[in-house]
Amino acid sequence: MKRKQLTKKQREEVWEKYNHHCAYCGCELEYKDMQVDHFSSVLMADFHPELRENLETIENYFPACRMCNFYKGAGGIELLRKNLSRLYIQLERQFDYRLAKKYGLVKETPHEIKFYFEEFDNEV
């Protein structure tokens, strides 16, 4: 199913949603670099076409940086949270990382992943 093309006004509205920040990591976004992420994946509509209308709304569009949008992919927010919290396990397999850790150049600080939009929504 073909995705709906956003107008410039809609893209600007998404960009403004979290004051020009990525909804996930919180980095500042230039308008030209912003990617529009579907918070709830549009892949659901491939199996449930009746959901398409609810997925193509401003409420479901989140501003995202390229890295967060790529890493989240079509997965949900809890899968993203889980995958991010386990990244250090994948890094541990790399010799350079283990050596940097041994010399104190990197320090693991496991903690609960809190997304920018969660903090932002609590402030508003």
Side-chain angles (χ1 to χ4, degrees):
M1 199 174 248
K2 190 174 180 184
R3 290 188 184 174
K4 179 181 159 187
Q5 194 72 359
L6 297 180
T7 66
K8 182 174 180 174
K9 183 180 179 192
Q10 289 171 316
R11 281 187 58 81
E12 287 173 350
E13 191 175 349
V14 172
W15 187 52
E16 294 288 339
K17 198 170 183 176
Y18 294 106
N19 292 333
H20 313 158
H21 288 83
C22 172
Y24 304 108
C25 72
C27 73
E28 283 194 54
L29 290 170
E30 295 290 329
Y31 177 78
K32 66 180 178 54
D33 297 326
M34 176 195 68
Q35 295 190 351
V36 177
D37 177 55
H38 289 83
F39 185 77
S40 295
S41 175
V42 292
L43 291 180
M44 290 174 38
D46 291 343
F47 302 102
H48 304 281
E50 69 278 6
L51 297 177
R52 168 72 62 191
E53 188 176 308
N54 295 332
L55 297 174
E56 300 291 356
T57 63
I58 194 69
E59 293 78 23
N60 195 42
Y61 298 144
F62 275 39
C65 68
R66 182 178 304 276
M67 282 194 291
C68 288
N69 194 32
F70 176 81
Y71 201 69
K72 178 178 174 278
I77 193 68
E78 291 310 317
L79 181 59
L80 175 61
R81 192 183 316 272
K82 178 182 173 186
N83 289 341
L84 287 170
S85 67
R86 298 174 50 103
L87 271 176
Y88 71 93
I89 295 168
Q90 294 172 349
L91 292 170
E92 190 67 44
R93 295 180 185 139
Q94 298 177 22
F95 173 81
D96 292 345
Y97 177 80
R98 291 192 314 269
L99 186 61
K101 186 174 150 185
K102 183 177 185 175
Y103 279 91
L105 298 170
V106 290
K107 188 172 183 101
E108 293 172 1
T109 56
H111 59 276
E112 180 184 349
I113 302 293
K114 212 57 160 151
F115 295 111
Y116 184 80
F117 75 89
E118 293 170 319
E119 299 292 332
F120 185 89
D121 289 344
N122 286 337
E123 291 176 10
V124 179

